[in-house]
Amino acid sequence: MIKTIYVPCDASAVSLGADNVAKTIQTEADKRGIEIQMVRNGSRGLFWLEPLVEVVTGQGRIAYGPVQASDVPSLFDADFINGGAHALSLGLTEELAYLKKQQRLTFARIGITDPVSLEDYLAHDGYRGLNNALAMPPAEIVKNVTDSGLRGRGGAAFPTGIKWNTVLNTPSEQKYIICNADEGDSGTFSDRMVMEGDPFVLIEGMTIAGLAVGATQGYIYLRVEYPHSHKALNTAIGKAYAAGYLGDNILNSGKAFHLEVRLGAGAYICGEETSLMESLEGKRGLVRFKPPLPAIKGLFGQPTVVNNVISLASVPIILDKGGNYYRDFGMGRSRGTLPLQLAGNIKHGGLVELAFGLTLRELLYGFGGGSATGRPIKAVQVGGPLGAYLPESQFDTPLDYEAFAANWTVLGHGGVVVFDDTADMAEMARYSMEFCALESCGKCTPCRIGSTRGMELMDDIINGRDLAKNVPLLRSLCDTLLNGSLCALGGMTPYPVLSALNHFPEDFGIHDHANVA
Amino acid sequence: MSINKEKDFGTPASPATATVNLEIDGFKVTVPAGTSIMRAASSIGIDIPKLCATDSIEPFGSCRLCLVQIEGGRGMPASCTTPVAEGQKVITQNPRLAEVRRGVMELYISDHPLDCLTCSANGDCELQDMAGAVGLREVRYNPVETHLNALKDTSNPYFTFDPSKCIVCSRCVRACEETQGTFALTIDGRGFDSKVSPGQNQPFMESECVSCGACVQACPTATLMEKAVIDNGQPEHAIITTCAYCGVGCSFRAEMKGEQVIRMVPNKDGKANHGHSCVKGRFAFGYATHKDRITKPMVRASIKDAWREVSWEEAIAYAASELKRIQAKYGKDSIGGITSSRCTNEETYLVQKLIRAGFGNNNVDTCARVCHSPTGYGLKQTFGESSGTQDFDSVMKADVIMVIGANPTDGHPVFGSAMKKRLRQGAKLIVIDPREIDLVRNSPHVQASHHLKLRPSTNVALINALAHVVVTENLTKDDFAISRCDVASYNKWKTFISDPRHAPEATASITGVPAAEVRAAARLYAQANNGAIYYGLGVTEHSQGSTMVIGIANLAMATGNLGREGVGVNPLRGQNNVQGSCDMGSFPHEYPGYRHVANPETNQLFEKAWNAELSLEPGLRIPNMFDSAMDKTFLGLYVEGEDIAQSDPDIQHVHAALRSMECVIVQDLFLNETAKFAHVFFPGASFLEKTGTFTNAERRISPVRRVMTPLAGYEDWEITQLLSNAMGYPMNYSHPSEIMAEIASLTPTFAGVSYAKIDELGSIQWPCNDDAPAGTPIMHVEEFMRDNGKGLFMLTDYVATQERITPMFPLILTTGRILSQYNVGAQTRRTENNQWHSEDRLEIHPHDAQDRGINDGDWVGIKSRAGETVLRALISGRVQPGVVYTTFHFPESGANVITTDNSDWATNCPEYKVTAVQVTKVTHTSKWQESYQDFSETQLDLLAQGMSHG
């Protein structure tokens, strides 16, 4: 019987040597006259175990990891292809606590299937959502999404169903679906994992979105730094066209949806939806003011849905199992699941998809296992480079949009970057200003000039110059940025800066709290 | 920026008719839906601080000074980009808003040189104003990175670009895009490195910039500043007047320091230009005070003599005595005059009145003879009025625009910008031109759907082919044609045009345009909701110029494209007052208002009004004057502001005619080419030195206002009046308004026009009378202006010109204009505009150049049956093989040495656009050019002698 071996093709696994491992396994099997079937699956998202090699056994898939090429002969010697014991054996993959404790809805197939196999996708409940959607009038599709409580996973958490409804109700001859795949937040990778690990789910989600609002053209705006995603998406799109899942007559329904991947040019600001549309139109990535909302006047002036990868990839399961199924996960107004991305100074970095409601502390310690250095965790930046730093005192905040907002923190796209007690939070605040200066599109004054002044101001503060003047000035600048900026880049840079200042004043040379208030 | 601060509402007006009620700072206000909060506030006198917003361009939302709070709303939305909503309550001032605004301003000023006292924008700087408005008192930052050392770009002759003062509001970039449509400017870099960049980080002069001034106008600081302001300081008063260049007739504010014009700033309220301008009107006014201006009257007995400066009394007396002497010797009809399309309506009116009443004949003609006389004829015949049918704004409603033989982006740049804006909004474009003009594909975001690249001289065959398609494919709007037009003529025309000889397949061999292209273009035009035709001298300056105008009129009537916004037949007039000079009775057969001199009623009307005996015989046209001069029957000529010795065809014949005259009186600013043949020189006044009106291509009568004292002491109408009185025909006007009152009393279409009304309305489009007291933007709305109210279809058989290519003259020469120079160049050549275009060149297709061994820049001889001249070659794919092209802005180019005496059958408009030539590589200038050079030098010498003795 031919044995199936899984070696992830995900960029994180590849960067840890997965390609070499796969090649070595094949060579070794050939050498030993063992016939194997090699499947390059997505990543399970347990990065400290990558490359995570799995073999299919009667009990299920057994995992080995992290595997290096040099381990391969010993794995064969241990008969790993039949689940034989080995120092790297992790047992049944599904029984790994990190995975077992998760609630994988959006990531249900990732790591399990061959990402670019349509057959595999179909065999694992793929395109069931689309089939249901094809039988529904557009408003009913939108209603399912509204009922699910899904909110934009890009960070703004705007209810997806409401956005879709606006586009549905804005008459136009041409509407568009844009997938924002410009995943630029530091410490985030869930979009990439979807695109590399299960591109069909995104294609299906976008197709359903097209049916829901009456859009016949979709664009995936993909950051150029994701070549593996680019390849996987184009391969999957090609197969979807060939099989009639995309095109002028989707599954003989008479309905059309076309999809194309467009590459960005390396600007963080093009992840902001209006800049993204400017860029898609072939212009400089400059932020547009709102209103008009993209849902009314978006790409090329037409009604446009702009959704994040995770939002769109969550749509198929909603249409498959119903809005209520999805809504039953989560807490408060945060419904469903959020794929959290654990990164930075963390022992067990990776992808953790959970229903909203777990606390940050449970995530950091229950999943993450504490810091990688073993030192105390000093601060956690949640929600990307524009997210606030949470000190230990806020670790019991439940992962919930509203609970975070109440703390003047953001959940954002679910990126969690961990710092131990050696981190200098003043340097981190300076970095936030520098990031803003580097990535500012330059349109609005607060961000264009303020970020550079902020960086200079932080240099003065770090060097202990005139804190009595400069610290209040930093607050004043943050006030200008917060209230005056055109988009979230300038508008949210104060989050990391002020949270660092407020929670770690000593790093700013402030020992008398009266100065900080 | 400009003085006498024009009200800036911050964002453009909303076109909506529905209104919205809201409350701003407790005041109730009702505005059209879609209005910005900023504009709504401004409309009730609440000025919200702003820097990136200005009402000539769309809001941008970048400066973040105009933040407001809305009751019940989140955050601080920008008032420029936030539309009003019903019931909204807006707060524009409170301590929180003040704090944020000060924070923003502090950032601006942290990267701005604090040299206000020595800055050229001091007193005229929005940044300064806003710093004051928000109460900035301190900059707390210690900036490390700044732009304060950025280098100034002084490459443009008229303005400088100082990036150290730039606040990156993008108003210049947006003005270049939205207003001008050139897209020469962009923001280079991002974040703090963002900076305004002409082209690809080039100096302005090396970029695509056309120096229209829109960016300078939009700049809120000293970043883009007129050099004249840098040199002279801020102007202190402004007077609204009208540009004296092309037929667009832009309204300008002459911004003055005493009697010195500091700058010409386009008037936002100008209805022809809406605050836009081109390089000529905006910047090229320096000729008015150029050292070549002649400011003393001069006389001489022979053109071989030195000029003699004399008093006005002597000059006038001498001129009158000479004219009387000639009349006494050769008869009453032996003298005449030429009115100018450069002068005012009042001046033109007076010259023709002098000739008809004072000279006692109708020997008056005008330069429209050589440009738009076929328009006058063709449109009068078909529509009943000798003018374009639309206002310029109409183009913003057009869905398909057909441009025939015109080059708006060069010839009528401000209207060209409006047209490009409409094309960017999605209107389709058909270009009919032998040459690839910029609109075809060289204007950003504009591309013609069809370029029918016809052979010069085959216009009529092409318009017939278009009409044939419309009729035979049943694309006519019969409802319109039958209800609005003369049905018999329509039916006859349909039968005529349906004949297979007019089919595109049959005409393709004549025009060179593939039949399928013609059919597609015809369908596009005929099926448009609104199809508009714009045409220029490429239509009129042909042996069948009038036929072509009629053909255009037929096509528009048959497709129902008349009588409403967005459609029409629109001649683009070359000169500022071509329309006006024609309206004012400049033609030998017509009184003001296009009434025939032979009509006894009209004759009596004018005899009574003018208290003179008036001839019923039409007078001589310009070419007839020359012929009669050669016959020694026409020997005295009064030429006001026209340079016939450069601009008229077959120039050697013109020169010979002028030489044979006994008294040539030239009234002009400069010793122009014609003045070199003159015996009396009356120094005229530029448009800055006189009061009057110009009428532009859309029939708009706009005020010309004196902003400085005439350098020679008199406005041109005063000179004419002096001459008339000396001739014995009394004129006693004390102000041009009295002349306009007389025009209004004698001309039905002007009956309601008066200076008071022009002052009140800004400008008036004729007809203006009791039926249309505020004027008429669109003509022929209810019925045509013809006597029976019906449009007339006329048959337009194509007749090939006699000017044909032969083995000796195998190429066709056609001519045109360029943006930076203006016609004979008398004005623009005396400005820095020469930096863009310092010589006329011959455009020749690479194939034709290859055949002749001609390289780019080579001297080439151009020879026609009329003469020969030499220019440098410019090898260009814009012309088709077999066609060569040149501009005619420099007298030494001798473009009209080559052009022939062929002319339009109906109006004698010269066939400038078609001359069979041979082109060969040469090593030196032509014989004509050598003799011109000698003659010109001699004449300048004779001028210098006179002036030094004077």
Side-chain angles (χ1 to χ4, degrees), chain B residues 36 43 111 138 206 340 366 380 442 487 496 554 568 697 775 807 834 928:
Chain B
S36 69
S43 73
D111 189 22
E138 184 192 8
E206 285 171 28
S340 175
T366 183
K380 177 92 182 170
N442 294 309
V487 178
F496 160 80
N554 289 340
N834 281 354
W928 176 84

PDB file of all heavy atoms in Angstrom, chain B residues 36 43 111 138 206 340 366 380 442 487 496 554 568 697 775 807 834 928:
ATOM      1  N   SER B  36     -20.563  70.595   0.521  1.00  0.00           N
ATOM      2  CA  SER B  36     -19.733  70.260   1.683  1.00  0.00           C
ATOM      3  C   SER B  36     -20.139  71.135   2.864  1.00  0.00           C
ATOM      4  O   SER B  36     -20.687  72.224   2.684  1.00  0.00           O
ATOM      5  CB  SER B  36     -18.254  70.504   1.360  1.00  0.00           C
ATOM      6  OG  SER B  36     -18.008  71.884   1.229  1.00  0.00           O
ATOM      7  N   SER B  43     -21.018  79.878   2.951  1.00  0.00           N
ATOM      8  CA  SER B  43     -22.133  80.602   2.324  1.00  0.00           C
ATOM      9  C   SER B  43     -22.863  81.483   3.336  1.00  0.00           C
ATOM     10  O   SER B  43     -23.579  82.403   2.955  1.00  0.00           O
ATOM     11  CB  SER B  43     -23.099  79.613   1.670  1.00  0.00           C
ATOM     12  OG  SER B  43     -23.839  78.926   2.658  1.00  0.00           O
ATOM     13  N   ASP B 111       8.183  72.938   9.552  1.00  0.00           N
ATOM     14  CA  ASP B 111       8.919  72.685   8.307  1.00  0.00           C
ATOM     15  C   ASP B 111       8.696  73.840   7.330  1.00  0.00           C
ATOM     16  O   ASP B 111       8.477  73.636   6.145  1.00  0.00           O
ATOM     17  CB  ASP B 111       8.469  71.351   7.685  1.00  0.00           C
ATOM     18  CG  ASP B 111       9.353  70.935   6.507  1.00  0.00           C
ATOM     19  OD1 ASP B 111      10.498  71.414   6.429  1.00  0.00           O
ATOM     20  OD2 ASP B 111       8.888  70.135   5.673  1.00  0.00           O
ATOM     21  N   GLU B 138       3.557  79.412  19.073  1.00  0.00           N
ATOM     22  CA  GLU B 138       4.841  78.811  19.421  1.00  0.00           C
ATOM     23  C   GLU B 138       5.017  77.518  18.622  1.00  0.00           C
ATOM     24  O   GLU B 138       4.046  76.789  18.411  1.00  0.00           O
ATOM     25  CB  GLU B 138       4.825  78.472  20.921  1.00  0.00           C
ATOM     26  CG  GLU B 138       6.112  77.926  21.458  1.00  0.00           C
ATOM     27  CD  GLU B 138       5.954  77.330  22.864  1.00  0.00           C
ATOM     28  OE1 GLU B 138       4.806  77.208  23.365  1.00  0.00           O
ATOM     29  OE2 GLU B 138       6.975  76.978  23.450  1.00  0.00           O
ATOM     30  N   GLU B 206      11.558  71.616 -18.350  1.00  0.00           N
ATOM     31  CA  GLU B 206      11.852  70.352 -19.042  1.00  0.00           C
ATOM     32  C   GLU B 206      10.700  69.372 -18.921  1.00  0.00           C
ATOM     33  O   GLU B 206      10.710  68.315 -19.536  1.00  0.00           O
ATOM     34  CB  GLU B 206      13.121  69.720 -18.447  1.00  0.00           C
ATOM     35  CG  GLU B 206      14.380  70.426 -18.878  1.00  0.00           C
ATOM     36  CD  GLU B 206      15.610  69.933 -18.120  1.00  0.00           C
ATOM     37  OE1 GLU B 206      15.624  68.764 -17.686  1.00  0.00           O
ATOM     38  OE2 GLU B 206      16.541  70.737 -17.955  1.00  0.00           O
ATOM     39  N   SER B 340      -9.998  95.501 -37.432  1.00  0.00           N
ATOM     40  CA  SER B 340      -9.190  94.487 -36.766  1.00  0.00           C
ATOM     41  C   SER B 340     -10.018  93.606 -35.856  1.00  0.00           C
ATOM     42  O   SER B 340     -10.875  94.073 -35.122  1.00  0.00           O
ATOM     43  CB  SER B 340      -8.118  95.175 -35.931  1.00  0.00           C
ATOM     44  OG  SER B 340      -7.416  94.209 -35.201  1.00  0.00           O
ATOM     45  N   THR B 366     -12.128  92.721 -43.185  1.00  0.00           N
ATOM     46  CA  THR B 366     -11.472  92.411 -41.915  1.00  0.00           C
ATOM     47  C   THR B 366     -10.718  91.104 -42.031  1.00  0.00           C
ATOM     48  O   THR B 366     -10.928  90.343 -42.994  1.00  0.00           O
ATOM     49  CB  THR B 366     -12.505  92.330 -40.765  1.00  0.00           C
ATOM     50  OG1 THR B 366     -11.816  92.107 -39.541  1.00  0.00           O
ATOM     51  CG2 THR B 366     -13.494  91.209 -40.999  1.00  0.00           C
ATOM     52  N   LYS B 380     -25.032  81.373 -41.629  1.00  0.00           N
ATOM     53  CA  LYS B 380     -26.118  82.318 -41.912  1.00  0.00           C
ATOM     54  C   LYS B 380     -27.121  81.657 -42.878  1.00  0.00           C
ATOM     55  O   LYS B 380     -28.335  81.733 -42.682  1.00  0.00           O
ATOM     56  CB  LYS B 380     -25.521  83.591 -42.531  1.00  0.00           C
ATOM     57  CG  LYS B 380     -26.543  84.636 -42.931  1.00  0.00           C
ATOM     58  CD  LYS B 380     -26.760  85.620 -41.799  1.00  0.00           C
ATOM     59  CE  LYS B 380     -27.825  86.652 -42.189  1.00  0.00           C
ATOM     60  NZ  LYS B 380     -28.234  87.465 -41.054  1.00  0.00           N
ATOM     61  N   ASN B 442      -2.222  62.289 -27.473  1.00  0.00           N
ATOM     62  CA  ASN B 442      -1.115  62.819 -26.678  1.00  0.00           C
ATOM     63  C   ASN B 442      -1.554  63.620 -25.463  1.00  0.00           C
ATOM     64  O   ASN B 442      -0.746  64.269 -24.826  1.00  0.00           O
ATOM     65  CB  ASN B 442      -0.203  63.668 -27.566  1.00  0.00           C
ATOM     66  CG  ASN B 442       0.478  62.811 -28.613  1.00  0.00           C
ATOM     67  OD1 ASN B 442       1.065  61.796 -28.288  1.00  0.00           O
ATOM     68  ND2 ASN B 442       0.346  63.187 -29.861  1.00  0.00           N
ATOM     69  N   VAL B 487     -38.660  71.361 -44.854  1.00  0.00           N
ATOM     70  CA  VAL B 487     -38.828  69.944 -45.189  1.00  0.00           C
ATOM     71  C   VAL B 487     -38.429  69.646 -46.631  1.00  0.00           C
ATOM     72  O   VAL B 487     -37.797  68.624 -46.927  1.00  0.00           O
ATOM     73  CB  VAL B 487     -40.277  69.484 -44.914  1.00  0.00           C
ATOM     74  CG1 VAL B 487     -40.451  68.025 -45.299  1.00  0.00           C
ATOM     75  CG2 VAL B 487     -40.621  69.667 -43.437  1.00  0.00           C
ATOM     76  N   PHE B 496     -30.075  63.601 -52.308  1.00  0.00           N
ATOM     77  CA  PHE B 496     -28.732  63.939 -52.790  1.00  0.00           C
ATOM     78  C   PHE B 496     -27.655  63.124 -52.074  1.00  0.00           C
ATOM     79  O   PHE B 496     -26.812  62.490 -52.682  1.00  0.00           O
ATOM     80  CB  PHE B 496     -28.504  65.449 -52.569  1.00  0.00           C
ATOM     81  CG  PHE B 496     -27.062  65.883 -52.566  1.00  0.00           C
ATOM     82  CD1 PHE B 496     -26.369  66.073 -53.758  1.00  0.00           C
ATOM     83  CD2 PHE B 496     -26.394  66.117 -51.360  1.00  0.00           C
ATOM     84  CE1 PHE B 496     -25.046  66.484 -53.743  1.00  0.00           C
ATOM     85  CE2 PHE B 496     -25.064  66.518 -51.343  1.00  0.00           C
ATOM     86  CZ  PHE B 496     -24.381  66.703 -52.541  1.00  0.00           C
ATOM     87  N   ASN B 554     -25.655  70.725 -42.051  1.00  0.00           N
ATOM     88  CA  ASN B 554     -26.591  69.689 -42.494  1.00  0.00           C
ATOM     89  C   ASN B 554     -26.552  68.473 -41.564  1.00  0.00           C
ATOM     90  O   ASN B 554     -27.590  67.950 -41.151  1.00  0.00           O
ATOM     91  CB  ASN B 554     -26.213  69.190 -43.903  1.00  0.00           C
ATOM     92  CG  ASN B 554     -26.482  70.220 -44.998  1.00  0.00           C
ATOM     93  OD1 ASN B 554     -27.268  71.152 -44.818  1.00  0.00           O
ATOM     94  ND2 ASN B 554     -25.811  70.050 -46.129  1.00  0.00           N
ATOM     95  N   GLY B 568     -24.691  71.080 -30.912  1.00  0.00           N
ATOM     96  CA  GLY B 568     -24.399  72.311 -31.619  1.00  0.00           C
ATOM     97  C   GLY B 568     -23.275  72.248 -32.615  1.00  0.00           C
ATOM     98  O   GLY B 568     -22.593  71.240 -32.779  1.00  0.00           O
ATOM     99  N   ALA B 697     -15.929  83.528 -29.111  1.00  0.00           N
ATOM    100  CA  ALA B 697     -16.487  82.535 -30.030  1.00  0.00           C
ATOM    101  C   ALA B 697     -17.878  82.064 -29.631  1.00  0.00           C
ATOM    102  O   ALA B 697     -18.596  81.470 -30.435  1.00  0.00           O
ATOM    103  CB  ALA B 697     -15.548  81.333 -30.101  1.00  0.00           C
ATOM    104  N   GLY B 775     -29.370  87.840 -22.428  1.00  0.00           N
ATOM    105  CA  GLY B 775     -28.559  87.205 -23.456  1.00  0.00           C
ATOM    106  C   GLY B 775     -28.999  85.773 -23.732  1.00  0.00           C
ATOM    107  O   GLY B 775     -29.944  85.262 -23.125  1.00  0.00           O
ATOM    108  N   PRO B 807       4.018  66.058 -60.200  1.00  0.00           N
ATOM    109  CA  PRO B 807       5.389  65.566 -60.002  1.00  0.00           C
ATOM    110  C   PRO B 807       6.322  66.690 -59.534  1.00  0.00           C
ATOM    111  O   PRO B 807       7.262  66.463 -58.784  1.00  0.00           O
ATOM    112  CB  PRO B 807       5.785  65.070 -61.392  1.00  0.00           C
ATOM    113  CG  PRO B 807       4.481  64.743 -62.046  1.00  0.00           C
ATOM    114  CD  PRO B 807       3.485  65.724 -61.509  1.00  0.00           C
ATOM    115  N   ASN B 834       8.900  82.950 -26.411  1.00  0.00           N
ATOM    116  CA  ASN B 834       9.867  82.438 -27.386  1.00  0.00           C
ATOM    117  C   ASN B 834      10.673  81.272 -26.835  1.00  0.00           C
ATOM    118  O   ASN B 834      11.210  80.476 -27.598  1.00  0.00           O
ATOM    119  CB  ASN B 834      10.838  83.554 -27.798  1.00  0.00           C
ATOM    120  CG  ASN B 834      10.201  84.481 -28.803  1.00  0.00           C
ATOM    121  OD1 ASN B 834       9.084  84.229 -29.270  1.00  0.00           O
ATOM    122  ND2 ASN B 834      10.890  85.550 -29.133  1.00  0.00           N
ATOM    123  N   TRP B 928      13.650  84.843 -51.482  1.00  0.00           N
ATOM    124  CA  TRP B 928      12.667  85.724 -50.850  1.00  0.00           C
ATOM    125  C   TRP B 928      13.132  86.127 -49.453  1.00  0.00           C
ATOM    126  O   TRP B 928      13.071  87.274 -49.061  1.00  0.00           O
ATOM    127  CB  TRP B 928      11.293  85.049 -50.749  1.00  0.00           C
ATOM    128  CG  TRP B 928      10.351  85.958 -50.011  1.00  0.00           C
ATOM    129  CD1 TRP B 928       9.639  86.986 -50.552  1.00  0.00           C
ATOM    130  CD2 TRP B 928      10.094  85.956 -48.605  1.00  0.00           C
ATOM    131  NE1 TRP B 928       8.944  87.642 -49.564  1.00  0.00           N
ATOM    132  CE2 TRP B 928       9.200  87.038 -48.360  1.00  0.00           C
ATOM    133  CE3 TRP B 928      10.518  85.185 -47.532  1.00  0.00           C
ATOM    134  CZ2 TRP B 928       8.730  87.331 -47.083  1.00  0.00           C
ATOM    135  CZ3 TRP B 928      10.052  85.479 -46.267  1.00  0.00           C
ATOM    136  CH2 TRP B 928       9.158  86.547 -46.045  1.00  0.00           C
TER     137      TRP B 928
END
